[in-house]
Amino acid sequence: MVYNPFTMPILDANTFEFFSRSPAQTRRVGMRLGAYLERGDLVCLHGELGSGKTTLMQGIASGWGSLDLVSSPSFVLVNVYRHLEGGELFHLDAFRLRSAAEAMDLDLDNMLNRGPLVVEWPEHIRAILPSEHLWITLEWMNEEHRSLRFIPRAEHYITLLQFLRQQLYGVT
Protein backbone atom coordinates (compact mmCIF):
# COMPACT_ATOMS: atom_id res chain seq x y z
CA MET A 1 0.00 0.00 0.00
CA VAL A 2 1.33 3.42 -0.91
CA TYR A 3 1.15 6.10 1.76
CA ASN A 4 -1.26 8.84 0.80
CA PRO A 5 -1.77 11.52 3.48
CA PHE A 6 -5.10 12.52 1.95
CA THR A 7 -6.71 9.09 2.29
CA MET A 8 -5.16 7.88 5.57
CA PRO A 9 -7.33 8.27 8.67
CA ILE A 10 -6.36 10.78 11.32
CA LEU A 11 -5.17 8.89 14.39
CA ASP A 12 -7.33 8.96 17.50
CA ALA A 13 -5.98 9.38 21.03
CA ASN A 14 -5.53 5.61 21.52
CA THR A 15 -3.90 4.77 18.20
CA PHE A 16 -0.14 4.47 18.32
CA GLU A 17 2.07 4.70 15.24
CA PHE A 18 5.70 3.65 15.09
CA PHE A 19 8.15 3.91 12.20
CA SER A 20 10.72 1.12 12.18
CA ARG A 21 14.02 1.74 10.46
CA SER A 22 15.19 -1.90 10.19
CA PRO A 23 14.05 -5.51 10.60
CA ALA A 24 16.04 -5.62 13.86
CA GLN A 25 14.10 -2.64 15.19
CA THR A 26 10.80 -4.27 14.15
CA ARG A 27 11.84 -7.40 16.09
CA ARG A 28 12.72 -5.29 19.15
CA VAL A 29 9.29 -3.62 19.07
CA GLY A 30 7.78 -7.11 18.91
CA MET A 31 9.90 -8.19 21.88
CA ARG A 32 8.60 -5.30 23.95
CA LEU A 33 5.01 -6.12 22.97
CA GLY A 34 5.45 -9.85 23.55
CA ALA A 35 6.61 -9.24 27.12
CA TYR A 36 3.11 -7.94 27.97
CA LEU A 37 1.04 -10.67 26.33
CA GLU A 38 -0.88 -13.08 28.47
CA ARG A 39 -3.41 -15.88 28.07
CA GLY A 40 -6.48 -14.67 26.19
CA ASP A 41 -4.77 -11.81 24.37
CA LEU A 42 -5.50 -11.50 20.66
CA VAL A 43 -3.12 -9.61 18.36
CA CYS A 44 -4.05 -9.16 14.70
CA LEU A 45 -1.25 -8.47 12.19
CA HIS A 46 -2.60 -6.86 9.04
CA GLY A 47 -0.39 -6.03 6.07
CA GLU A 48 0.64 -7.02 2.59
CA LEU A 49 3.30 -9.61 1.80
CA GLY A 50 6.69 -8.27 2.86
CA SER A 51 5.28 -5.72 5.31
CA GLY A 52 7.08 -7.26 8.31
CA LYS A 53 4.40 -9.42 9.95
CA THR A 54 6.65 -12.45 10.45
CA THR A 55 9.56 -10.27 11.57
CA LEU A 56 7.33 -8.63 14.19
CA MET A 57 6.08 -12.08 15.21
CA GLN A 58 9.66 -13.27 15.75
CA GLY A 59 10.09 -10.46 18.26
CA ILE A 60 6.72 -11.11 19.91
CA ALA A 61 7.57 -14.78 20.51
CA SER A 62 11.01 -13.94 21.86
CA GLY A 63 9.69 -11.22 24.18
CA TRP A 64 6.92 -13.53 25.36
CA GLY A 65 9.54 -16.04 26.45
CA SER A 66 9.88 -18.63 23.70
CA LEU A 67 13.14 -19.89 22.28
CA ASP A 68 11.34 -21.75 19.46
CA LEU A 69 12.18 -20.85 15.87
CA VAL A 70 9.45 -18.61 14.45
CA SER A 71 8.35 -19.07 10.87
CA SER A 72 5.25 -18.18 8.93
CA PRO A 73 2.64 -20.92 9.39
CA SER A 74 1.29 -20.42 5.85
CA PHE A 75 1.14 -24.12 5.05
CA VAL A 76 0.32 -25.54 8.49
CA LEU A 77 -2.06 -22.69 9.47
CA VAL A 78 -1.05 -22.63 13.17
CA ASN A 79 2.35 -22.72 14.85
CA VAL A 80 2.56 -23.19 18.60
CA TYR A 81 5.51 -21.71 20.49
CA ARG A 82 6.40 -22.89 23.97
CA HIS A 83 7.23 -20.63 26.90
CA LEU A 84 10.35 -21.48 28.92
CA GLU A 85 8.22 -21.80 32.07
CA GLY A 86 5.25 -23.51 30.41
CA GLY A 87 2.42 -22.04 28.41
CA GLU A 88 1.78 -21.66 24.71
CA LEU A 89 1.67 -18.83 22.19
CA PHE A 90 -0.41 -19.49 19.07
CA HIS A 91 0.48 -18.04 15.66
CA LEU A 92 -2.27 -18.41 13.05
CA ASP A 93 -1.82 -17.51 9.39
CA ALA A 94 -5.28 -17.01 7.86
CA PHE A 95 -3.96 -16.22 4.36
CA ARG A 96 -5.12 -19.54 2.89
CA LEU A 97 -8.50 -19.47 4.63
CA ARG A 98 -11.25 -18.31 2.30
CA SER A 99 -13.91 -17.71 4.94
CA ALA A 100 -14.46 -17.30 8.63
CA ALA A 101 -16.35 -20.61 8.59
CA GLU A 102 -13.13 -22.44 7.68
CA ALA A 103 -11.44 -20.91 10.74
CA MET A 104 -14.20 -22.09 13.09
CA ASP A 105 -12.77 -25.61 12.85
CA LEU A 106 -9.48 -24.34 14.31
CA ASP A 107 -11.17 -23.61 17.69
CA LEU A 108 -9.84 -20.10 18.34
CA ASP A 109 -11.56 -20.02 21.73
CA ASN A 110 -9.49 -23.00 22.88
CA MET A 111 -6.29 -21.28 21.71
CA LEU A 112 -7.21 -18.09 23.58
CA ASN A 113 -8.00 -20.10 26.72
CA ARG A 114 -4.53 -21.66 26.58
CA GLY A 115 -2.40 -18.64 25.66
CA PRO A 116 -2.05 -15.50 23.56
CA LEU A 117 -3.05 -15.74 19.89
CA VAL A 118 -1.43 -13.77 17.06
CA VAL A 119 -3.26 -13.84 13.72
CA GLU A 120 -1.69 -12.87 10.41
CA TRP A 121 -4.16 -11.90 7.65
CA PRO A 122 -6.97 -11.39 10.21
CA GLU A 123 -9.17 -9.69 7.63
CA HIS A 124 -9.84 -13.15 6.14
CA ILE A 125 -11.57 -14.29 9.35
CA ARG A 126 -12.60 -11.00 10.95
CA ALA A 127 -16.23 -12.14 11.31
CA ILE A 128 -15.32 -14.73 13.96
CA LEU A 129 -12.60 -12.83 15.81
CA PRO A 130 -13.44 -11.45 19.26
CA SER A 131 -14.22 -7.73 19.15
CA GLU A 132 -11.60 -7.09 21.85
CA HIS A 133 -8.14 -7.27 20.30
CA LEU A 134 -5.06 -5.32 19.32
CA TRP A 135 -4.99 -4.61 15.58
CA ILE A 136 -1.58 -3.81 14.09
CA THR A 137 -1.35 -2.61 10.51
CA LEU A 138 2.13 -2.93 8.99
CA GLU A 139 3.06 -1.08 5.83
CA TRP A 140 6.13 -1.40 3.63
CA MET A 141 7.73 2.02 3.17
CA ASN A 142 11.03 1.01 1.56
CA GLU A 143 13.50 -1.87 1.74
CA GLU A 144 14.32 -1.30 5.43
CA HIS A 145 11.52 0.92 6.80
CA ARG A 146 8.08 -0.12 7.98
CA SER A 147 5.14 1.72 9.48
CA LEU A 148 3.36 -0.01 12.37
CA ARG A 149 -0.02 1.34 13.45
CA PHE A 150 -1.39 -0.12 16.71
CA ILE A 151 -5.15 0.14 17.22
CA PRO A 152 -6.50 -1.13 20.56
CA ARG A 153 -10.04 -2.49 20.67
CA ALA A 154 -10.67 -2.65 24.43
CA GLU A 155 -9.45 -0.99 27.61
CA HIS A 156 -6.99 -3.84 28.24
CA TYR A 157 -5.22 -3.13 24.94
CA ILE A 158 -5.22 0.62 25.56
CA THR A 159 -3.33 -0.10 28.79
CA LEU A 160 -1.00 -2.51 26.97
CA LEU A 161 -0.17 0.21 24.43
CA GLN A 162 0.54 2.68 27.22
CA PHE A 163 3.14 0.23 28.58
CA LEU A 164 4.56 -0.28 25.08
CA ARG A 165 4.75 3.46 24.43
CA GLN A 166 6.54 3.87 27.78
CA GLN A 167 9.04 1.15 26.82
CA LEU A 168 9.73 2.60 23.38
CA TYR A 169 9.73 6.33 24.13
CA GLY A 170 9.83 6.71 27.89
CA VAL A 171 6.47 8.57 27.85
CA THR A 172 2.80 7.62 28.08
Side-chain angles (χ1 to χ4, degrees):
M1 179 190 285
V2 176
Y3 175 75
N4 181 339
F6 299 107
T7 61
M8 299 301 289
I10 295 175
L11 304 180
D12 65 29
N14 295 320
T15 299
F16 172 52
E17 193 164 27
F18 183 85
F19 296 97
S20 173
R21 301 204 181 283
S22 69
Q25 189 175 36
T26 300
R27 275 187 212 90
R28 286 193 304 271
V29 169
M31 289 173 72
R32 299 292 174 105
L33 173 61
Y36 292 110
L37 294 182
E38 51 195 40
R39 185 179 330 148
D41 282 344
L42 173 60
V43 178
C44 300
L45 305 181
H46 171 72
E48 299 299 321
L49 289 170
S51 63
K53 295 183 300 294
T54 301
T55 301
L56 183 65
M57 182 62 207
Q58 290 168 343
I60 289 171
S62 176
W64 178 76
S66 178
L67 296 178
D68 294 332
L69 179 65
V70 173
S71 62
S72 181
S74 295
F75 297 103
V76 294
L77 296 181
V78 180
N79 284 339
V80 181
Y81 306 113
R82 300 161 295 163
H83 193 281
L84 292 171
E85 298 173 1
E88 298 171 307
L89 169 66
F90 297 89
H91 179 198
L92 166 65
D93 187 326
F95 183 77
R96 298 196 183 289
L97 299 177
R98 296 295 162 230
S99 70
E102 283 185 68
M104 291 180 73
D105 292 336
L106 298 174
D107 198 0
L108 302 182
D109 289 337
N110 182 48
M111 289 182 214
L112 287 165
N113 285 330
R114 293 170 48 199
L117 169 61
V118 179
V119 179
E120 291 189 38
W121 302 96
E123 63 276 13
H124 289 212
I125 60 170
R126 192 174 207 156
I128 67 162
L129 292 175
S131 61
E132 295 188 0
H133 57 263
L134 176 61
W135 190 275
I136 305 172
T137 298
L138 296 97
E139 292 183 37
W140 187 93
M141 298 175 73
N142 66 37
E143 198 59 39
E144 293 288 315
H145 301 154
R146 302 294 187 269
S147 166
L148 293 81
R149 190 174 320 113
F150 299 80
I151 304 168
R153 298 287 186 221
E155 190 65 36
H156 167 70
Y157 297 104
I158 292 171
T159 302
L160 190 148
L161 280 185
Q162 289 171 343
F163 289 130
L164 183 61
R165 189 178 285 122
Q166 173 68 32
Q167 288 290 308
L168 296 174
Y169 293 116
V171 297
T172 56

